[in-house]
Amino acid sequence: LFLDRSDAVELPIKFIPPNAGCYHCQILLKSSCDVRVYEIECVVNADHVEAELEFLTPAYQAVIQDIPISNMSYQDWKLEAILEGQGFYGPPLINVGLGETALYPLMFKPIAEC
């Protein structure tokens, strides 16, 4: 069956998500001779978020800050951490299950006064 572009019908949808996450939707279209169900999945990312942490510790003494990472999506997350800056350490990977909050242990261990 070939449909000409003139047979196409636009179906405008407005979607206003309350939060970041994965949203599923079914659209049921009925006519006297046809029934169709369309499944839609929308993935919404949060806006660019910036945070600032200040670490105060004597030289050569480590301090650890647990950073909460909440997964409000409908799938598990496997996240890769890329740390930049001298004296910062943390696990390279972290898994956050769906609906869970995991703590990322960020360590700062200065090798000199800075």
Side-chain angles (χ1 to χ4, degrees):
L1 177 66
F2 175 74
L3 292 177
D4 190 318
R5 292 291 288 181
S6 63
D7 293 338
V9 176
E10 288 188 25
L11 180 64
I13 297 173
K14 185 174 185 179
F15 175 62
I16 303 173
N19 297 307
C22 186
Y23 295 87
H24 298 272
C25 175
Q26 285 187 343
I27 299 174
L28 175 64
L29 300 176
K30 291 190 215 179
S31 72
S32 59
C33 59
D34 193 14
V35 175
R36 295 178 189 223
V37 177
Y38 293 91
E39 302 230 355
I40 297 175
E41 178 181 281
C42 296
V43 177
V44 178
N45 296 318
D47 288 339
H48 181 71
V49 177
E50 289 188 27
E52 185 175 316
L53 299 174
E54 184 174 327
F55 292 92
L56 297 174
T57 186
Y60 304 105
Q61 189 171 359
V63 62
I64 297 174
Q65 173 69 51
D66 289 324
I67 300 172
I69 300 173
S70 297
N71 180 354
M72 297 305 177
S73 72
Y74 293 101
Q75 59 189 357
D76 293 339
W77 287 350
K78 184 175 183 178
L79 304 174
E80 178 183 4
I82 300 172
L83 300 177
E84 296 178 359
Q86 188 175 9
F88 290 94
Y89 306 93
L93 297 173
I94 185 169
N95 295 311
V96 186
L98 61 99
E100 294 180 355
T101 298
L103 298 176
Y104 182 83
L106 178 63
M107 179 194 306
F108 178 59
K109 186 175 183 181
I111 58 171
E113 188 175 326
C114 59

